[in-house]
Amino acid sequence: MKLNELLNNVRVKQVTGNAEEKEITNISIDSRNVNENSLFFAIEGFKTDGHKFIQDVLNKGVRAVVLQNQAALPDQIFEHYNAVKIVVEDSRKSLAEFSDRFYSSPSKKIKLVGVTGTKGKTTTAFFLKSLFEYTGRKAGLIGTIANYVGSEEIKTMLTTPQSHEINYLLDRMVNAGCKYCSMEVSSHALDLHRADYLDFDYAVFTNITSDHMDYHLTFENYLKAKKILFDMLSENAAAVINADDPNANEIVSDTKAKVVRYGASEKADFRIKEISYSLEGTDFVIVYKNEEYKLRTKLIGHFNAYNAAAAFAVGALESIDTDEIIKAIENSPQVPGRFEVVSGGEKKIIIDYAHTADSLMQALKAVRNIVGNTRPVYTVFGCGGDRDRSKRPVMGRIASEMSDKVFVTSDNPRTENPSAIIDEILKGIKKDNYSVIENREEAIKKAIQNSEKDAVILIAGKGHENYQEVNGVRTHFSDKETAIKYLDL
């Protein structure tokens, strides 16, 4: 695309240089991944400022740069390199706008379902992709575990990618014949304008509890960030919300979209009842338009009935046959690292991504609901570094009170001292039923080898992740692989 064509369709404050002769083939915010046909965006980040790298990208041949700090580099430098200087009000917002236009608004060419909430985003997004594909509708997915263009998997680093990456993926989906995309939408992404200019046909709200306080600082800010998704919906869209969450009405208070509710509430359009589950799966009933539908999923837990119900609601609103929706949910595969059961004879290992106080409590509630006090329950967990510190003692208390034995260990300490994180977790533990083993593999090994033959062991925090991050360096580590190794399957 010619740069001048792109500039004719976006908002800018000032353009210096000749845009007509510049051909743009890609958009980048990373100075390491540019070429002469890149449009480079200088983003003011939290750890570094992209304006510092403008000289570097000019040296690499980039001939067009978008920036918000007009004084970052003199016009004469751009003239020297025969480069176009594009000044905007906010580089992040403009990145979303430019990306939408560059890829010809791909979100308008696909049915886009955004899923947000503290818990359940990944599972609900996978339920939706499975539902669409089972019923013959090619679909993509953008999320925490991976991005998918149909069956093609593309690795990811963020729950919700940067706006130019989202539009790139959506464009690939459209070109590959995908008709639907389910997309996890994080609070960070909404607050940082990564989802701006996207045309969502549906937005699903799963729930909200305290999380990411290191970034949002207050629950009110966190709620406002989640609410952005529903505020941006058009009158042609639908907001599918968990009626049982106390903040559900606030989330949709300003939406233009049609509001549809699911949950146990009598006010729910898709009412959930008779939930039961074991280590083999979950059964429940949905009442919709005075008809009762019995559903079953391989996924385990009260919360997974809700995740499946959200997908059921979207499917019904899309006029997919209810019998087909039921079969699709029953055949949806296990989501990696989301209450994933690994068996070693009578001994059961549960790998779960629970990394907040509420998600850990819900996971342990699910375990206790299944086994009661008939089998010993062990928990292996830690807390990530450079993240919300307030949850650490709370998680320690929950793990200790709801488990027979707890192994407190390390979990992505990042730039923090692992032992210091563990000390903060221990402040919440009042019972003498814990051990500290900083090495995560050793902690998992001890829990498996030193537990009773019928024990249920919850390994929480990392779920699908296959790395440990220490001081900016990621090394391969998988809770599931480690569990299988010591179960000696």
Side-chain angles (χ1 to χ4, degrees):
M1 176 183 284
K2 290 292 185 183
L3 179 58
N4 64 312
E5 294 175 14
L6 180 57
L7 292 176
N8 286 336
N9 291 287
V10 294
R11 291 167 295 179
V12 299
K13 289 175 65 177
Q14 181 182 327
V15 177
T16 304
N18 186 358
E20 291 185 12
E21 61 185 37
K22 303 295 188 294
E23 183 72 27
I24 301 300
T25 59
N26 66 86
I27 293 174
S28 178
I29 64 171
D30 189 339
S31 62
R32 297 166 296 183
N33 301 321
V34 294
N35 57 51
E36 63 180 12
N37 295 121
S38 299
L39 177 60
F40 177 74
F41 276 75
I43 304 290
E44 291 185 359
F46 297 103
K47 294 182 179 179
T48 189
D49 184 350
H51 291 81
K52 295 179 180 178
F53 301 97
I54 294 174
Q55 183 68 66
D56 291 347
V57 300
L58 292 175
N59 290 336
K60 289 182 176 181
V62 167
R63 295 293 176 259
V65 176
V66 178
L67 64 158
Q68 69 185 56
N69 181 0
Q70 189 167 358
L73 217 62
D75 290 358
Q76 292 85 344
I77 299 293
F78 286 88
E79 291 170 9
H80 173 75
Y81 285 93
N82 189 28
V84 180
K85 178 182 180 181
I86 304 163
V87 182
V88 296
E89 191 71 39
D90 185 313
S91 293
R92 287 186 187 276
K93 291 182 180 179
S94 291
L95 177 63
E97 184 181 12
F98 276 64
S99 299
D100 174 68
R101 305 297 188 268
F102 180 77
Y103 289 104
S104 302
S105 302
S107 64
K108 289 181 169 63
K109 303 172 184 176
I110 194 168
K111 288 281 185 83
L112 182 59
V113 186
V115 184
T116 198
T118 305
K119 305 183 299 294
K121 292 189 297 296
T122 299
T123 301
T124 303
F126 267 84
F127 264 131
L128 285 163
K129 184 175 190 294
S130 180
L131 165 62
F132 296 139
E133 292 183 332
Y134 185 86
T135 57
R137 297 159 171 86
K138 189 171 182 179
L141 182 145
I142 298 174
T144 304
I145 295 176
N147 302 317
Y148 290 89
V149 176
S151 59
E152 180 188 358
E153 180 179 345
I154 302 167
K155 297 297 182 183
T156 183
M157 291 288 286
L158 298 171
T159 297
T160 311
Q162 298 290 349
S163 54
H164 63 298
E165 296 168 320
I166 294 171
N167 280 280
Y168 165 74
L169 288 167
L170 291 174
D171 185 57
R172 283 190 58 177
M173 291 177 199
V174 170
N175 291 331
C178 294
K179 302 301 181 185
Y180 291 83
C181 173
S182 56
M183 173 180 166
E184 295 181 53
V185 189
S186 69
S187 59
H188 289 76
L190 290 163
D191 194 54
L192 295 172
H193 305 288
R194 293 184 206 151
D196 286 10
Y197 297 94
L198 295 179
D199 183 24
F200 289 96
D201 295 276
Y202 298 93
V204 176
F205 169 67
T206 59
N207 51 67
I208 187 166
T209 58
S210 182
D211 196 14
H212 304 303
M213 291 302 108
D214 54 313
Y215 174 83
H216 294 291
L217 302 180
T218 67
F219 181 80
E220 290 71 23
N221 290 340
Y222 181 41
L223 181 64
K224 286 178 183 177
K226 293 289 189 188
K227 186 175 179 293
I228 291 170
L229 176 60
F230 300 87
D231 291 350
M232 63 192 285
L233 295 176
S234 74
E235 62 275 6
N236 298 319
V240 180
I241 65 170
N242 178 357
D244 300 336
D245 190 282
N247 293 286
N249 288 335
E250 175 61 25
I251 283 283
V252 293
S253 59
D254 298 306
T255 191
K256 299 183 189 71
K258 175 184 177 182
V259 177
V260 177
R261 294 172 170 82
Y262 67 94
S265 168
E266 291 290 335
K267 296 179 180 179
D269 303 283
F270 296 84
R271 186 160 61 88
I272 308 168
K273 66 176 188 177
E274 299 176 21
I275 301 173
S276 63
Y277 53 91
S278 67
L279 288 172
E280 279 68 52
T282 304
D283 294 276
F284 62 103
V285 172
I286 286 181
V287 182
Y288 173 52
K289 291 185 176 180
N290 298 319
E291 294 286 337
E292 290 193 359
Y293 301 93
K294 293 183 178 181
L295 289 94
R296 177 171 179 78
T297 172
K298 300 182 184 75
L299 280 65
I300 301 162
H302 188 272
F303 40 84
N304 278 319
Y306 276 72
N307 297 332
F312 183 101
V314 173
L317 293 171
E318 272 295 287
S319 300
I320 299 174
D321 183 78
T322 48
D323 288 340
E324 288 296 293
I325 298 173
I326 291 167
K327 291 176 185 175
I329 288 172
E330 184 173 357
N331 285 280
S332 291
Q334 171 66 54
V335 181
R338 299 307 192 271
F339 216 82
E340 185 177 4
V341 179
V342 179
S343 296
E346 289 184 60
K347 190 171 292 189
K348 304 291 184 184
I349 311 296
I350 298 171
I351 311 296
D352 195 69
Y353 191 52
H355 60 282
T356 68
D358 188 69
S359 58
L360 180 62
M361 181 172 67
Q362 294 302 326
L364 282 166
K365 272 186 178 180
V367 174
R368 284 297 185 189
N369 185 68
I370 294 168
V371 305
N373 293 315
T374 63
R375 300 170 68 170
V377 175
Y378 286 63
T379 298
V380 181
F381 88 104
C383 290
D386 302 332
R387 297 294 186 270
D388 183 7
R389 294 175 58 183
S390 64
K391 68 183 179 182
R392 294 171 185 175
V394 182
M395 292 179 70
R397 175 182 59 77
I398 290 168
S400 175
E401 289 179 355
M402 300 184 71
S403 311
D404 296 294
K405 175 75 175 179
V406 177
F407 289 87
V408 183
T409 187
S410 182
D411 179 351
N412 288 343
R414 298 183 178 88
T415 64
E416 286 194 66
N417 184 327
S419 61
I421 296 173
I422 290 171
D423 287 343
E424 292 188 6
I425 294 171
L426 297 181
K427 289 177 182 177
I429 298 180
K430 307 304 179 187
K431 295 171 68 176
D432 186 23
N433 65 338
Y434 70 92
S435 295
V436 173
I437 303 178
E438 184 179 310
N439 182 284
R440 193 171 180 92
E441 179 169 354
E442 191 64 24
I444 293 171
K445 175 183 177 182
K446 289 286 186 184
I448 292 172
Q449 293 185 343
N450 294 356
S451 57
E452 297 84 343
K453 67 177 183 179
D454 63 342
V456 177
I457 303 166
L458 174 66
I459 305 175
K462 296 183 67 62
H464 66 283
E465 291 178 351
N466 60 1
Y467 62 84
Q468 272 279 65
E469 184 176 335
V470 182
N471 291 322
V473 178
R474 291 187 174 189
T475 55
H476 182 81
F477 186 87
S478 162
D479 283 351
K480 182 177 179 179
E481 290 174 10
T482 306
I484 290 172
K485 174 181 176 181
Y486 292 109
L487 275 170
D488 195 27
L489 297 178

